[in-house]
Amino acid sequence: MIAYALKRIFVAFLILLVVSGLTFSLSHLSADPALTIAGEQASDEDIEAVRKLYGFDRPIVEQYGNWLGRALQWDFGDSFHYKAPVVEMISGRIGTTMTLGFLAILFALVISIPLGTLAAMRPNSFIDRFALLIAVFGQALPTFWFALMMIIVFGVWWRWLPISGNTTWAHFVMPTIALGYYATPALMRLTRAGMIEVLGSDYIRTARAKGLSPTVVLFKHALRNAIIPVVALAAVWFGFMLGGSIVIETIFNLKGIGWLSYDALLRSDLPVVQAIVLIFASFYVVLTLLADLLNAYLDPRISVR
Amino acid sequence: MSAEKDIVLDVQNLKVDIPVSAGMLHPVRGISFSVARGETLCIVGESGCGKSLTSLALMGLLPKNAQRSADRINFLDQDIQNLKEREMARLRGVKMAMIFQEPMTSLNPSYTISNQLEEVYLRHISSNRAEARERAIFLLGKVGISSAESRLGQYPHQLSGGLRQRVMIAMALMCGPDLIIADEPTTALDVTIQAQILHLLAELQADFDMAMILITHDLGIVARVADKVQVMYAGLTVEEGPCEAVFDTPLHPYTSGLLRCIPVPGKTAPGQPLGTVPGIVPNMVGELQGCMFRNRCEHATDVCETLPNSATQLANGHAFTCRLSPDAATRSEGA
Ligand SMILES: Nc1ncnc2c1ncn2[C@@H]1O[C@H](COP(=O)(O)OP(=O)(O)O)[C@@H](O)[C@H]1O
Ligand SMILES: [Mg+2]
């Protein structure tokens, strides 16, 4: 288990190194940062001065080294537009995004695990059809459209929920549902498929032959095994949720990182974009790593391979 | 064996039907037997003749779509046919235990050996964990697993197939059952350990004074451990009786065919192919008429289009179901 963990951590570290390189070079290829900072009306001399001041005239490798070195010390420079430290802008908003992502994945799991399990216990029953319906809708509806529909129904017609901002927990209800619903179909189908397979397995027959109660057979012997891949997928989806938060936060004017990245992209605010991509990517890698380790812990066979 | 046997299980006319797309499948078509405490009943027959479904039917573990019926299934003097699932669960694992064919997949990969052994004891006998552990260690020793205490912390994937099957046997014995059903417990194992495991089972059966139903292909083992033999073909019993009687004077052509398949020490040269019964088990969908073995039977005639009304009974409970005169089968032995 320890050797397996160390190996996975080393791989995660390599991935992060590659990601940071890509982040840096891609954002540099997309636009001339000196032009953005200096503004539309700037003269050639002004632009040249800006280029020198920010070190954009240096070899790209050197720029990358400096950037990465500072990033590791949690310094992403100042925002071109707001002229404020990027780290402050992000740390003030990351709580909102994490809360949204966490609530969304929790919502998805709370819906998909029981529903997937019930569907698996009685394939082709009413509950199975119902679960399928929910999954099909979840997959077919674009997130933004679903979010807008909720705003119209619950925010505008019935006025049950606030439609914009993030001051109270009520502000999180619709964004959570909109974002979480997006992850539900995949998680539910995996739960259902996993449960059907496990319920038909020999060890479940053994558990029943031992006269264990149906509850113990279902929860201890079946769900525990079926849930392993669902946990892994949920961690991956948590990463997707952060990506999806760009759309959702913009729609609900929820001022988290997603909203910030949308804003920064519109303004070509390079340091902000780089910081967000690197932080999200690192987060994603760490999540996948944790999911793997959790899997290895839950399924003792994995660490042997 | 004493005159008054303590009958543990008495089954009369057990049938299993399964609806399939082609119609109704009749994999078990009315079989009867009984086993007493301390007795071993061996059920033999080719694959697909309904042995596993018979044992699952007794345990109440048939697939959901399968239907079971019987004139009686008396277990410990109680007809278990109308028991609710909750009541059956109180018999399974405690009074009747089963060992399956596939040791590699029959244990839950996520839990340790100790967890899986102890849970059945904790559920049925007592919630005392120390006691459960003690019982687990005792039984692991009994099934021939050395250093039992260190094995307890291991997971199934850390054990070989043979060890896993020993664990399954220990698990079946945790609550001291009255009946143990072993469905081809060694088919999936290496040839070298098959005999060991079967001997172990026979030893434990005597040791714990249980009734045992052993389903196996290994007729060599049957000859050594069985008190009674039941030969099944296409969901029916074609011949049954005391072990020696069936082996010495097989009366149904199918039985003699099976017996020709086992190597005889001194007679069968090494490497010489063993005899097989030509043909395959027929499809058992729909209404079935006559002797199912007739199209594979070298002695079959027109009379085989219908089955005799009842089995031909001989002394000692030896019985067979065949229209042909008994010597037809013995003749084919070449004896
Ligand atoms: N769940 C099921 N659905 C349909 N047919 C089945 C099912 N289980 C077993 N059968 C069929 O019933 C027959 C008897 O099966 P089984 O009792 O497993 O045979 P055996 O154990 O003697 O090899 C076989 O033809 C098999 O294909
Ligand atoms: Mg079988």
Side-chain angles (χ1 to χ4, degrees), chain A residues 31 36 40 81-82 246 250 258-270 272-273:
Chain A
T36 315
E40 298 276 308
H81 180 77
Y82 295 100
I246 296 181
T250 309
W259 178 88
L260 181 66
S261 59
Y262 175 73
D263 184 67
L265 279 168
L266 285 186
R267 301 181 195 282
S268 300
D269 201 341
L270 204 55
V272 177
V273 175

Side-chain angles (χ1 to χ4, degrees), chain A residues 6 27 43 55 73 93 130 178 208-209 239 255 272 275-276 284-285:
Chain A
L6 286 176
S27 49
S43 65
Q73 294 162 48
R93 289 184 169 88
F130 177 69
R208 296 185 56 217
K255 295 197 173 156
V272 177
I276 291 176
Y284 194 75
V285 169

Side-chain angles (χ1 to χ4, degrees), chain A residues 202 206 210-211 220-221 225, chain B residues 105-106 110-111 115-116 123:
Chain A
D202 289 339
T206 306
K210 284 156 90 175
K220 179 179 173 184
H221 287 276
N225 285 289
Chain B
T105 49
S106 288
S110 294
Y111 295 99
N115 186 320
Q116 298 187 59
R123 151 100 169 147

Side-chain angles (χ1 to χ4, degrees), chain A residues 121 201-203 205-206 208-214 216 219-222 224-225 228 298-301 304, chain B residues 59-61 64 89 92-93 100 102 105-111 115-116 119-120 123-124 155 157 168 171:
Chain A
M121 285 166 72
S201 71
D202 289 339
Y203 59 81
R205 188 180 57 186
T206 306
R208 296 185 56 217
K210 284 156 90 175
L212 303 177
S213 75
V216 172
F219 288 98
K220 179 179 173 184
H221 287 276
R224 159 87 183 247
N225 285 289
I228 291 172
L298 284 178
D299 184 349
R301 284 168 304 178
V304 177
Chain B
M59 295 287 290
L61 290 176
K64 271 201 192 115
R92 284 200 296 262
F100 297 98
E102 306 85 7
T105 49
S106 288
L107 289 162
N108 192 321
S110 294
Y111 295 99
N115 186 320
Q116 298 187 59
E119 75 174 337
V120 58
R123 151 100 169 147
H124 298 291
Y155 287 91
H157 72 265
M168 288 297 293
M171 197 151 82

Side-chain angles (χ1 to χ4, degrees), chain B residues 234-292:
Chain B
L236 284 179
T237 304
V238 294
E239 180 160 2
E240 66 188 308
C243 185
E244 318 79 62
V246 173
F247 271 79
D248 293 346
T249 46
L251 296 174
H252 194 285
Y254 180 60
T255 313
S256 19
L258 282 181
L259 287 173
R260 252 178 290 145
C261 300
I262 51 171
V264 184
K267 278 193 194 166
T268 319
Q272 179 190 330
L274 296 171
T276 47
V277 186
I280 52 160
V281 182
N283 186 347
M284 288 178 283
V285 177
E287 286 309 309
L288 304 172
Q289 291 279 315
C291 175
M292 284 295 113

